[in-house]
Amino acid sequence: MSLPAIHGGAAAAALSLAALGYAERNVEPGASWRFLTISINYLRAVQAATVDLKPTLRKRGTRSCVISVSALQASKEVTHAECLLAKRNMNE
């Protein structure tokens, strides 16, 4: 039995991890980040096949950043996330 589509929660987890990983590697290496908000748009069903995640830095501030992540299958966008992240305080 094969699944016709991936659960939306699994897609959301992949998008959020891509945004977090992008911030930790490219925005300010060594900083720890946390989510303030995440908004996900499901454009079509995510099939049980290869998914390419494309994070893009939209805006960077001194303590926060906005990262967009697109999930692509066969060069078509299937889901999209807008993530607002903030630097984690060392006292948290």
Side-chain angles (χ1 to χ4, degrees):
M1 179 174 147
S2 70
L3 297 173
I6 301 297
H7 189 276
L15 292 165
S16 63
L17 287 173
L20 192 59
Y22 184 88
E24 290 178 347
R25 285 189 312 275
N26 299 299
V27 177
E28 188 173 325
S32 180
W33 296 88
R34 63 186 173 98
F35 284 95
L36 294 179
T37 63
I38 183 168
S39 174
I40 300 175
N41 297 311
Y42 297 95
L43 307 174
R44 53 180 56 92
V46 181
Q47 302 302 312
T50 302
V51 177
D52 296 315
L53 299 172
K54 305 287 183 189
T56 305
L57 179 64
R58 295 288 179 209
K59 191 166 192 169
R60 179 181 179 178
T62 56
R63 296 181 302 214
S64 63
C65 65
V66 176
I67 297 175
S68 295
V69 184
S70 294
L72 306 163
Q73 283 190 316
S75 300
K76 293 181 182 176
E77 190 172 33
V78 291
T79 59
H80 180 86
E82 290 289 328
C83 308
L84 174 59
L85 291 95
K87 280 192 229 178
R88 191 179 298 276
N89 292 334
M90 295 312 235
N91 298 330
E92 288 182 12

